[in-house]
Amino acid sequence: MADSVGTRHASNLAEENRISLAASSYLLNQVRSYDQFCKTQGLAEISSCIWASDVQQTLNEYASYGVNTFHQFGPAESAEIYSGIRRSVPEKEIIQIRKEIERYNRTVCPVEDLGDGVRQHARPSGVCQRTPSAFCRAFPDGPEGLVDKYIIARSVALASECIIPTLVASRAKQEDLTEAIARKQKERYQRWWLFIALAAVVGGKVANSTTKVAKLDQRDSADRRRLIRPPLRVLSRVIKRLVVIGKAIAQRLKRWRSHRKL
């Protein structure tokens, strides 16, 4: 049961990592389009266009992080992505970036108000698309009302408002799964050594019982050696095999821990 749980954790981690890489690539492509838009419109100096130029390196790195990397170097908070290659960006500037991206989405992919609370979103196209649900599993960051909370339901040109929080949540999930796998590996390692110890104890008791059954104490030394040698050989082979298995598990656990540190 424990091994199946560990396998399930590993499968879930691989799938979550696949989604985070694909979401990073998806956002990167949209950011590149926005960067080109900024240049053709002569807007390269506004906050969101500076961000679009800077953040591409960061997103490109996220898109390359594997299961042993994303949970360590992926975004722990949205501000890390809005900072791009810069160390930090003030909250006020982040809000400005988000407002400008919202304006861009409204301009390129307009939403028409038909009255009575009914709105018509831009039709999907090469620029305006509804974000795949796997990449949009988190609501936009606060403050409330800054952007459309249900951005997943409309076609947009740049889906940073839901993809960025999704990447942050994905790192946290991958971190939890990695820790769960480590615990299962440790438990498995401990079970094997407990099994080896029990085998040694049981082997000793079997040998003692064999001695009593065969009444070895009443036999001469040559006869005792002849009777004891076969069960001792079997016991020795079993213990050696268990030790080899235990060492293999220990080495695998050591390699796995070293990969986590990379």
Side-chain angles (χ1 to χ4, degrees):
M1 176 64 73
D3 288 345
S4 66
V5 171
T7 300
R8 187 167 66 251
H9 285 329
S11 177
N12 291 340
L13 176 59
E15 176 62 14
E16 184 63 31
N17 182 253
R18 184 192 67 79
I19 291 173
S20 67
L21 305 192
S24 299
S25 295
Y26 185 89
L27 181 58
L28 176 59
N29 288 331
Q30 290 187 326
V31 167
R32 284 172 174 164
S33 296
Y34 183 54
D35 185 32
Q36 188 60 38
F37 172 85
C38 291
K39 292 173 181 176
T40 58
Q41 297 297 315
L43 302 173
E45 298 305 317
I46 68 173
S47 296
S48 59
C49 289
I50 293 173
W51 169 76
S53 178
D54 287 347
V55 78
Q56 293 181 49
Q57 178 64 47
T58 300
L59 292 175
N60 195 39
E61 289 174 359
Y62 290 164
S64 69
Y65 288 160
V67 292
N68 297 318
T69 313
F70 194 91
H71 75 278
Q72 298 183 66
F73 303 112
E77 56 182 9
S78 297
E80 292 183 21
I81 301 181
Y82 285 112
S83 297
I85 61 175
R86 293 175 284 180
R87 290 188 177 181
S88 64
V89 171
E91 180 65 24
K92 182 178 180 180
E93 186 174 346
I94 292 176
I95 295 296
Q96 182 61 30
I97 291 171
R98 295 172 63 195
K99 285 181 177 179
E100 291 172 6
I101 292 174
E102 176 69 7
R103 191 180 309 125
Y104 165 69
N105 280 326
R106 295 282 182 178
T107 300
V108 178
C109 310
V111 178
E112 184 179 354
D113 190 350
L114 302 178
D116 297 327
V118 179
R119 297 187 299 175
Q120 181 175 317
H121 300 148
R123 296 184 62 178
S125 65
V127 176
C128 303
Q129 295 180 359
R130 283 191 295 272
T131 311
S133 58
F135 304 160
C136 201
R137 298 177 298 175
F139 286 119
D141 297 320
E144 187 77 22
L146 178 67
V147 297
D148 185 358
K149 182 177 182 180
Y150 302 101
I151 189 174
I152 189 175
R154 56 183 257 232
S155 298
V156 294
L158 181 49
S160 52
E161 285 296 344
C162 69
I163 294 181
I164 288 177
T166 296
L167 290 175
V168 172
S170 184
R171 170 183 164 151
K173 185 174 181 178
Q174 291 183 56
E175 191 170 4
D176 290 343
L177 287 169
T178 300
E179 291 175 355
I181 292 171
R183 288 195 298 270
K184 292 301 176 183
Q185 290 278 12
K186 185 177 181 180
E187 289 171 5
R188 184 181 181 187
Y189 175 71
Q190 291 173 338
R191 286 200 308 273
W192 271 108
W193 280 112
L194 177 61
F195 182 65
I196 291 172
L198 288 175
V201 171
V202 171
K205 289 187 176 182
V206 169
N208 187 49
S209 298
T210 301
T211 299
K212 291 180 179 178
V213 171
K215 297 181 179 180
L216 294 180
D217 292 341
Q218 301 174 14
R219 298 172 181 266
D220 58 44
S221 58
D223 214 9
R224 286 200 299 268
R225 287 194 297 272
R226 181 177 59 80
L227 290 172
I228 290 177
R229 194 173 294 119
L232 286 181
R233 286 174 179 171
V234 173
L235 179 60
S236 177
R237 284 198 296 268
V238 170
I239 292 177
K240 286 180 179 178
R241 177 64 61 85
L242 292 175
V243 169
V244 169
I245 294 173
K247 287 182 178 180
I249 294 173
Q251 291 174 354
R252 182 177 299 178
L253 183 61
K254 184 178 180 180
R255 287 196 301 269
W256 185 84
R257 284 175 174 171
S258 66
H259 285 316
R260 287 189 63 195
K261 295 178 181 178
L262 294 178

